[in-house]
Amino acid sequence: MNAPNPLIDRFGRVHTYLRVSVTDRCNFRCVYCMPEDGMAWMPKADILSYEEIARLVGVFVGLGVRRVRLTGGEPLVRADLELLVEALGRLPGLDDLTMTTNGHRLAGCAERLYAAGMRRVNVSLDSLNPERFAALTRGGRLDKVLDGLDAARAAGMRPVKVNAVILRGENDDEVLPLVEHFSNTAESTVLRFIEYMPFEARWHQSVPARELRAKISARYTLDRHEESLGDGPAVYWRVRETGLIVGFISPLSEKFCSTCNRLRLMADGRLRTCLSDDGTPSLLAMLREGADDATLARAVRAMVLGKREGHGCMEEGGTPFEGVMTRVGG
Ligand code: SAM
Ligand code: SF4
């Protein structure tokens, strides 16, 4: 089902993908995502209810959005997430509903989420060393996340995508161990390496995808994998020896702004049209003041028309992204 009048911006980009941050709260404090001493959480009254999210997502679907990903903060710290999954699953025209999670609570709810209609999940995991994992996440337990991955597979979710943010000098020696580990479940797992994006300042150093591929190629043969695995920015390769599909999401070294098809609805109802831009206004006030769907749709179109051409962050220097990642949702 194609929208007759899709969500198009000044640069001709059509927007079919929406990330929905259901909360800014998180049970981790990942070093690249959140300040060490945490943050002042948004007051609960100021975040979208499940009914409001479902209503807004319905408006986006009416404008041609076909894929929705739930994110956070940590989506699984919000109670009864499967109720939202069920409500979104009922929206005609929504083809794909997925989630990005840190996986810590996934083992306890993977089956319920699958039954509610969630067929795929992305799990973030940056280290296979329990101590380092705890240090990078400031308190997370690796065994719980690995159990969460197993539970997602056991529930029938396919493929499980594992996202690893690689930081120079902090976990860049884990690239090969991660490839090796997930090669054991190559038929049900896709491993993706995400370049660190500096928010507000460059607290860490990113490692460009070409360097990560070179590390992997020192031990394995990588063949380009052209088959589409979603219409996101990842570029996929296949490890010939093990069959594992490995993706690279490289916003700095292989910038993909010109083909960006995504929008981000934050927990407070602000629509973030570009990952780098903290400036877009909120839909929540309009919604609570009684705006009808047509009015909301016009507001969304106007916001999308104001979308930036792209971010100005580079491998070295440039302008960092604005805001705090845990509020934005990745
Ligand atoms: N809590 C969930 C999780 O960790 O998967 C969902 C929210 S998290 C903000 C979404 C994704 O953004 C995660 O894969 C995380 O690793 C990634 N991320 C967070 N901060 C980042 C940064 N500064 N640069 C690149 N990726 C980042
Ligand atoms: Fe929480 Fe995810 Fe950010 Fe880690 S990356 S602090 S798990 S929101």
Side-chain angles (χ1 to χ4, degrees):
M1 190 162 80
N2 288 320
N5 191 6
L7 263 181
I8 193 157
D9 71 3
R10 290 173 296 152
F11 306 98
R13 296 173 294 196
V14 175
H15 296 81
T16 53
Y17 178 99
L18 179 69
R19 297 178 72 96
V20 178
S21 171
V22 299
T23 176
D24 62 329
R25 294 169 196 238
C26 188
N27 47 350
F28 285 6
R29 304 273 180 280
C30 298
V31 294
Y32 47 73
C33 181
M34 227 199 266
E36 182 162 14
D37 38 3
M39 297 180 352
W41 304 129
M42 295 171 187
K44 285 201 171 138
D46 295 351
I47 68 168
L48 294 165
S49 68
Y50 286 165
E51 291 73 22
E52 289 168 333
I53 292 176
R55 165 104 188 272
L56 285 176
V57 172
V59 169
F60 280 94
V61 171
L63 292 166
V65 163
R66 293 291 168 259
R67 302 180 55 215
V68 167
R69 173 171 299 281
L70 303 182
T71 174
E74 171 49 37
L76 294 180
V77 302
R78 190 149 174 192
D80 304 324
L81 191 71
E82 61 275 14
L83 297 180
L84 178 63
V85 173
E86 271 169 16
L88 297 181
R90 284 194 290 270
L91 290 174
L94 182 62
D95 297 338
D96 192 32
L97 177 60
T98 55
M99 173 177 70
T100 297
T101 170
N102 64 31
H104 218 236
R105 295 191 176 182
L106 188 56
C109 58
E111 260 182 45
R112 278 203 310 278
L113 288 168
Y114 187 87
M118 180 155 296
R119 294 288 177 265
R120 292 191 296 114
V121 74
N122 290 7
V123 177
S124 305
L125 188 155
D126 311 316
S127 173
L128 289 167
N129 171 313
E131 286 80 39
R132 185 185 277 170
F133 184 86
L136 285 172
T137 55
R138 300 198 183 100
R141 271 185 43 194
L142 175 65
D143 58 333
K144 287 190 148 204
V145 178
L146 293 176
D147 287 351
L149 281 168
D150 287 343
R153 289 194 194 93
M157 296 185 187
R158 292 286 185 284
V160 174
K161 289 184 185 161
V162 175
N163 289 338
V165 177
I166 300 297
L167 309 172
R168 191 180 297 287
E170 297 181 63
N171 66 342
D172 49 352
D173 55 344
E174 302 228 20
V175 173
L176 280 175
L178 282 163
V179 170
E180 240 166 67
H181 180 87
F182 289 107
S183 284
N184 295 321
T185 48
E187 71 300 334
S188 58
T189 316
V190 172
L191 173 63
R192 306 178 334 152
F193 293 106
I194 304 181
E195 247 169 40
Y196 161 70
M197 289 171 273
F199 274 73
E200 301 298 345
R202 202 174 289 260
W203 310 105
H204 307 271
Q205 296 304 312
S206 39
V207 185
R210 59 178 178 279
E211 227 180 288
L212 301 178
R213 282 194 291 269
K215 270 181 194 284
I216 300 172
S217 300
R219 175 148 344 145
Y220 298 103
T221 312
L222 284 177
D223 298 314
R224 257 315 293 278
H225 184 77
E226 303 288 355
E227 193 186 310
S228 158
L229 293 172
D231 55 1
V235 177
Y236 289 102
W237 297 71
R238 184 174 179 277
V239 179
R240 196 182 293 171
E241 292 81 356
T242 70
L244 180 69
I245 307 293
V246 182
F248 299 88
I249 301 176
S250 321
L252 308 190
S253 69
E254 292 165 12
K255 188 173 169 178
F256 41 78
C257 297
S258 65
T259 56
C260 180
N261 63 352
R262 56 189 54 200
L263 298 167
R264 294 172 167 86
L265 181 63
M266 292 166 61
D268 61 0
R270 278 192 298 143
L271 184 69
R272 199 160 167 127
T273 51
C274 169
L275 185 52
S276 72
D277 181 4
D278 209 14
T280 332
S282 175
L283 294 161
L284 178 132
M286 289 180 69
L287 190 75
R288 291 191 183 170
E289 280 158 15
D292 62 12
D293 284 7
T295 307
L296 290 167
R298 275 196 300 279
V300 169
R301 273 195 197 286
M303 291 178 194
V304 171
L305 277 177
K307 175 166 169 155
R308 282 183 184 171
E309 186 170 8
H311 68 76
C313 193
M314 294 180 293
E315 279 184 60
E316 305 290 337
T319 323
F321 293 73
E322 295 169 5
V324 188
M325 186 59 135
T326 186
R327 290 225 170 95
V328 182

